[in-house]
Amino acid sequence: MATHLREDMAAQTAADICAAITSALDSDPITRPLAPLWDALAQKGDGLAAQRRALERALGRARARLSVADARWDAETASFGRDVVNESDGRRDRPPYTRFFVGVTPSDAQAFGVDREVKQGRAWIEELGREPDVALATKWTPRLSNATDTLETNSKEREAAMSALALQGTSELLYIGEINVEIDKLEGALLQHFPGQPKRVASFLAATKPRRKRNDDGDEGPSGSEG
């Protein structure tokens, strides 16, 4: 019985197995016509692996930008809070402090998740817009708008990158399933070509077997591959 690939196997590892099967089939004149399909599967896996690398890098970049934007938003929030306290003569029980920090302190806001930070930033900007000509609004409307817009944009970029990577995972799962179907078909074809020769049939599928620990000669042979 042929060994199927694990569903969680990396596409590059699966592609390498397909490439090995291609070489095995191509090395025997009888099975050579079967090799092109496996070469195509290897190339498909190479493409999926390259796509994953690009998507993972894009996600890493998006996360890095979001981390900076989040830290910037927190710093602006702290500075905004200090200015509001100063405008309130150091008192937190009078306007304008009570206009902006009802039920939430500047420190509390900095501990919010990104989505809630964006929502809170929008609320402050809206409140500043009620008196657009005062010094607090003139200074902080553009600064909070910029910090909040950047935070929201980078958050959406991260979400898009994560979604793309999830779709990539689905494509890779389908790829492994496709290989496993072809493994079964190949085993059937090999049994027809080499009836009563199980070792010869198994030799073409050796790459699908789990790897054993390193041998004395430095080679990592598949289990059961010794002659």
Side-chain angles (χ1 to χ4, degrees):
M1 185 71 177
T3 301
H4 282 179
L5 307 189
R6 301 188 320 274
E7 289 186 348
D8 62 350
M9 179 176 286
Q12 188 61 72
T13 302
D16 291 344
I17 290 173
C18 291
I21 293 175
T22 300
S23 293
L25 294 170
D26 190 60
S27 68
D28 190 315
I30 296 176
T31 58
R32 190 165 296 148
L34 302 174
L37 182 147
W38 288 91
D39 185 48
L41 285 172
Q43 292 183 43
K44 183 176 182 178
D46 288 340
L48 287 170
Q51 290 169 14
R52 170 165 286 277
R53 179 174 175 79
L55 290 171
E56 287 178 341
R57 178 168 292 181
L59 177 57
R61 289 177 181 273
R63 283 173 169 162
R65 288 191 294 268
L66 180 58
S67 178
V68 171
D70 191 20
R72 175 191 171 194
W73 190 91
D74 288 347
E76 290 287 70
T77 293
S79 184
F80 174 58
R82 288 191 294 271
D83 275 7
V84 172
V85 170
N86 290 338
E87 290 291 325
S88 305
D89 296 326
R91 297 181 58 178
R92 291 173 170 77
D93 59 351
R94 56 172 292 183
Y97 189 90
T98 53
R99 287 175 52 203
F100 295 99
F101 300 108
V102 179
V104 58
T105 67
S107 296
D108 291 336
Q110 294 172 59
F112 289 166
V114 171
D115 290 344
R116 193 175 175 188
E117 286 179 343
V118 170
K119 184 178 180 179
Q120 182 63 67
R122 299 289 181 222
W124 287 333
I125 294 164
E126 182 179 355
E127 185 62 33
L128 287 167
R130 298 181 188 279
E131 297 181 9
D133 297 326
V134 301
L136 201 61
T138 301
K139 177 180 179 179
W140 281 104
T141 297
R143 285 180 61 171
L144 284 176
S145 294
N146 190 285
T148 302
D149 288 347
T150 300
L151 182 65
E152 184 175 33
T153 296
N154 289 337
S155 177
K156 289 180 177 179
E157 288 177 351
R158 180 190 61 176
E159 291 174 4
M162 291 176 66
S163 295
L165 201 53
L167 290 174
Q168 174 72 14
T170 299
S171 296
E172 292 170 356
L173 187 62
L174 292 173
Y175 172 62
I176 297 298
E178 181 182 2
I179 292 173
N180 285 334
V181 169
E182 293 301 333
I183 286 175
D184 290 339
K185 291 180 180 178
L186 176 59
E187 184 181 39
L190 292 171
L191 288 171
Q192 290 183 352
H193 283 304
F194 310 113
Q197 302 179 62
K199 289 187 67 175
R200 191 170 182 183
V201 169
S203 69
F204 293 97
L205 298 168
T208 67
K209 303 297 182 183
R211 308 303 293 180
R212 302 195 317 164
K213 68 179 182 179
R214 189 175 298 276
N215 298 327
D216 291 340
D217 62 1
D219 183 35
E220 293 183 0
S223 59
S225 64
E226 291 84 350

